[in-house]
Amino acid sequence: DGGITQSPKYLFRKEGQNVTLSCEQNLNHDAMYWYRQDPGQGLRLIYYSQIVNDFQKGDIAEGYSVSREKKESFPLTVTSAQKNPTAFYLCASRRTSGRALETQYFGPGTRLLVL
Amino acid sequence: EDQVTQSPEALRLQEGESSSLNCSYTVSGLRGLFWYRQDPGKGPEFLFTLYSAGEEKEKERLKATLTKKESFLHITAPKPEDSATYLCAVPGGNNRKLIWGLGTSLAVNP
């Protein structure tokens, strides 16, 4: 089955700790995205990557970092600089065929909680 | 500034009571619009892509339409399993990012 997997489903972070959220896709998509979702605020873009070894900041990149060493994988690290990390984190991917409208497909999400 | 607004924020229907959700947008040069459904604690699930004004698409009890200023998601004779948050999004200026609405939370009572 093709799809996007995110792990873990729940993640607990202690004060001053960096944590890494995993996102893997086997859809052969070039572009991958990380969103943060808070109640009443909708989906906000953290980082995105159009191709391996390249990524761009989204609207709320401060306190986060990413890497894109493999086409299938786009891990997100929530650093200690992110003071309010409690949220639902969503990973998405899409093809980049040159058409303007390629659908983004989402993973099941990771809920990050602060201890 | 590109913007997407969804209304109402929340909608409660009785089973079988048809209604519509609205997604209005202000973007320069609309290149289409997406509709998604999101259940609590899960990732958004893709429903429809509408490419140009006048286009309509249907899936079971859902029908999406698009004009030059807005899109409607019509729900005909809804069932409790249609309860979810419905999100719409349009491509941003560089086509690399989507601009999202805040969603409409739909509850269908049996």
Side-chain angles (χ1 to χ4, degrees):
Chain A
D1 275 345
I4 303 172
T5 57
Q6 291 186 243
S7 62
K9 186 172 182 178
Y10 295 96
L11 184 59
F12 297 91
R13 193 190 91 163
K14 295 180 180 178
E15 194 75 31
Q17 185 181 40
N18 293 353
V19 292
T20 297
L21 285 62
S22 169
C23 177
E24 304 278 333
Q25 54 98 1
N26 62 4
L27 300 168
N28 199 32
H29 288 172
D30 289 304
M32 297 186 73
Y33 303 78
W34 273 107
Y35 291 93
R36 169 177 172 146
Q37 189 174 37
D38 297 274
Q41 294 202 44
L43 290 169
R44 294 187 289 168
L45 184 64
I46 305 173
Y47 268 98
Y48 64 103
S49 168
Q50 296 283 104
I51 197 169
V52 173
N53 293 323
D54 187 43
F55 48 82
Q56 287 79 42
K57 293 182 179 180
D59 301 316
I60 55 164
E62 186 175 350
Y64 300 97
S65 66
V66 293
S67 63
R68 186 84 188 277
E69 297 177 0
K70 298 187 299 182
K71 187 175 183 178
E72 309 79 44
S73 179
F74 191 39
L76 173 74
T77 296
V78 184
T79 75
S80 57
Q82 173 49 245
K83 298 307 179 188
N84 184 22
T86 297
F88 190 49
Y89 290 86
L90 289 160
C91 178
S93 71
R94 72 177 182 104
R95 296 191 308 169
T96 53
S97 65
R99 287 180 59 179
L101 283 185
E102 290 289 354
T103 302
Q104 286 189 21
Y105 294 94
F106 285 83
T110 292
R111 188 165 297 280
L112 177 60
L113 300 166
V114 176
L115 293 177
Chain B
E1 182 183 351
D2 295 342
Q3 193 169 4
V4 174
T5 303
Q6 292 188 245
S7 62
E9 288 186 18
L11 181 63
R12 185 175 294 274
L13 300 173
Q14 288 298 123
E15 185 172 1
E17 179 187 2
S18 301
S19 188
S20 296
L21 313 182
N22 178 264
C23 172
S24 63
Y25 51 85
T26 53
V27 294
S28 54
L30 179 71
R31 289 166 292 281
L33 182 141
F34 297 98
W35 280 101
Y36 288 81
R37 166 193 171 126
Q38 185 175 25
D39 292 299
K42 297 189 177 181
E45 174 190 347
F46 170 70
L47 292 174
F48 302 109
T49 305
L50 299 169
Y51 293 96
S52 59
E55 188 174 4
E56 299 181 351
K57 287 194 175 174
E58 290 188 61
K59 179 180 181 180
E60 296 181 358
R61 295 175 292 282
L62 300 177
K63 179 180 177 179
T65 62
L66 181 64
T67 73
K68 289 184 179 180
K69 294 182 179 180
E70 59 193 345
S71 177
F72 291 94
L73 186 65
H74 307 279
I75 304 176
T76 302
K79 298 182 178 181
E81 52 262 43
D82 295 321
S83 298
T85 295
Y86 292 86
L87 302 169
C88 70
V90 299
N94 62 6
N95 285 336
R96 294 185 177 185
K97 300 189 292 183
L98 291 178
I99 302 167
W100 292 87
L102 297 183
T104 293
S105 175
L106 173 66
V108 182
N109 296 326

